[in-house]
Amino acid sequence: MTIEATAEIPLYAKRGISLIRGEGMYLWDADGRRYLDAMSNYGVNILGHSHPAVDSAVETQLKRLISCHQSFYNDARASFEQALTERLPAALTRLSYANSGAESIEAAIKFARAATGKQRVIAATRGYHGRTIGALSVTSGDKHRLPFEPLLAGCEHVPYDDVDALSTVIRGAGAVLLEPIQGEAGVFVPAAEYLTAVRRLCNENGALLILDEVQTGMGRTGTFLASEQQGTIPDILCLSKGIANGLPMGVTVVSTEVAERIPAGSHGSTFAGNPLACAAGRATIESVTEDLLEGVRTNGSRFVQRLKQIEAPLIREVRGRGLMCAVELRTRVTPLLKSLQERGVLALPAGGRTIRLLPPLIAEWSHLETIADTLADALAELSQ
Ligand SMILES: Cc1ncc(COP(=O)(O)O)c(C=O)c1O
């Protein structure tokens, strides 16, 4: 049974089932069929579904206050800010609220322009930053961009993981905007020294470094921020997706120097900083413990090894860091996604030929083993 929402503009290719309930690592459809979650709703439900700490924080806040404009102080917002800033590099002191990843990028572009007085932003080919006009301007790829051109002036793209290419264009730029690992593109992990070299180039050329950790942040790669693994501290950091385990939320965090140059009243949003999202956000951040991160690192590297052991001629490459993994195929990905779904595992595409696996960070080894075994079975059948 599918419960169709018939008024929607058909912007999404639908997957043919109605998901109506979730608990832990599992989701259920309207027919009562259970699915193992290997996608976390595109990287959002890092603590799985119906997580007790998040549910209880939301329930408590629901009965107190669900909406509070940012012209007022609010206790849920204050405790969210304390919980978040404690987990971030000390240089990142101030934040602005958003309701999505794209909005957090919009704010980052605006703040970089305000702080530097410069218009140019350099992003990377294959990069994905969202689909509002500003975020789309730094996103790469004709499919998303062409129907909406002309986009924001001053946005350029250079090949990812290519320091020389960046060094030839960075002079005069206000900011460089990158994902520490490219997610939507198919989980591309750059060379270990890439971010450090980008940081150095930014410093030498007076450009700000904006890191988009919308997908990589919140423990996805085994540390709270992926950029921690290179010891790189951005001037502006974007977080969203997993930050409130499913409630719509984004934040743009900036250094004190950047914050001081953002004019009062120059940015805002009615719903942003919503107390319900903040309560969920605090509970989520507190649940991303050192133990959980350790589990992501251990399970993640074991999972990638296990995926690499699958003997299937259709596999071109396996990539990953923590629980952000991809299996690139030699063929289109849709039949495999469909077969996995029929076998009770929900995974994601990345580009046309890659399966992306973003299971909740609470996954136990047995769940990951089931995902890998199901993938092996589905690939074996498709190869016949
Ligand atoms: C790295 C990155 N940045 C930004 C976005 C945009 O987030 P949203 O879809 O919440 O606007 C995404 C979404 O997939 C993303 O992966």
Side-chain angles (χ1 to χ4, degrees), residues 100-102 128-130 179 184 212 214-215 241:
S100 68
Y128 184 84
H129 304 286
E179 296 160 84
E184 295 289 319
D212 176 349
V214 165
Q215 191 165 152
K241 285 203 189 278

Side-chain angles (χ1 to χ4, degrees), residues 122-127 140 156-169 176-178 182 190 194 198:
I122 301 168
T125 47
R126 294 190 315 213
S140 143
E156 297 163 34
H157 294 87
V158 291
Y160 188 65
D161 199 12
D162 186 337
V163 181
D164 290 341
L166 180 62
S167 69
T168 59
V169 297
V176 174
L177 194 168
L178 295 171
Q182 288 189 320
Y194 177 58
V198 173

Side-chain angles (χ1 to χ4, degrees), residues 187-202:
V187 186
F188 287 101
V189 183
E193 60 286 352
Y194 177 58
L195 283 188
T196 320
V198 173
R199 177 72 271 184
R200 197 192 60 244
L201 277 178
C202 286

Side-chain angles (χ1 to χ4, degrees), residues 35-287:
Y35 299 85
L36 179 56
D37 185 358
M39 61 165 193
S40 310
N41 195 25
Y42 280 75
V44 165
N45 290 94
I46 54 171
L47 303 175
H49 307 276
S50 306
H51 187 272
V54 180
D55 280 9
S56 142
V58 169
E59 274 169 29
T60 307
Q61 189 60 41
L62 188 65
K63 293 186 185 121
R64 281 166 62 85
L65 190 66
I66 60 169
S67 168
C68 177
H69 192 262
Q70 289 184 74
S71 48
F72 297 89
Y73 292 118
N74 171 261
D75 55 346
R77 221 153 34 221
S79 60
F80 167 80
E81 286 169 25
Q82 191 181 354
L84 179 64
T85 48
E86 272 173 14
R87 302 296 289 271
L88 298 180
L92 297 173
T93 54
R94 295 264 185 260
L95 65 85
S96 156
Y97 289 101
N99 307 291
S100 68
E103 272 182 71
S104 75
I105 298 287
E106 293 291 329
I109 296 170
K110 286 178 70 178
F111 296 162
R113 283 187 166 187
T116 63
K118 297 182 205 166
Q119 196 187 29
R120 280 177 62 225
V121 180
I122 301 168
T125 47
R126 294 190 315 213
Y128 184 84
H129 304 286
R131 303 195 219 180
T132 52
I133 289 287
L136 188 58
S137 305
V138 283
T139 289
S140 143
D142 288 349
K143 182 180 146 206
H144 297 311
R145 297 167 57 96
L146 280 182
F148 306 106
E149 289 185 334
L151 298 172
L152 200 60
C155 298
E156 297 163 34
H157 294 87
V158 291
Y160 188 65
D161 199 12
D162 186 337
V163 181
D164 290 341
L166 180 62
S167 69
T168 59
V169 297
I170 192 170
R171 232 172 123 215
V176 174
L177 194 168
L178 295 171
E179 296 160 84
I181 294 173
Q182 288 189 320
E184 295 289 319
V187 186
F188 287 101
V189 183
E193 60 286 352
Y194 177 58
L195 283 188
T196 320
V198 173
R199 177 72 271 184
R200 197 192 60 244
L201 277 178
C202 286
N203 292 350
E204 289 168 359
N205 289 278
L208 298 177
L209 175 59
I210 305 172
L211 286 183
D212 176 349
E213 293 236 24
V214 165
Q215 191 165 152
T216 54
M218 298 299 301
R220 173 58 60 194
T221 72
T223 44
F224 193 76
L225 300 179
S227 49
E228 280 172 41
Q229 293 171 34
Q230 281 78 45
T232 304
I233 301 175
D235 303 289
I236 304 181
L237 169 75
C238 299
L239 291 172
S240 184
K241 285 203 189 278
I243 196 164
N245 203 49
L247 266 83
M249 185 178 216
V251 291
T252 308
V253 197
V254 305
S255 65
T256 311
E257 296 73 41
V258 171
E260 280 167 357
R261 308 194 71 162
I262 301 169
S266 64
H267 192 66
S269 152
T270 301
F271 286 122
N274 170 280
L276 208 53
C278 285
R282 182 187 44 75
T284 305
I285 292 163
E286 286 171 354
S287 303

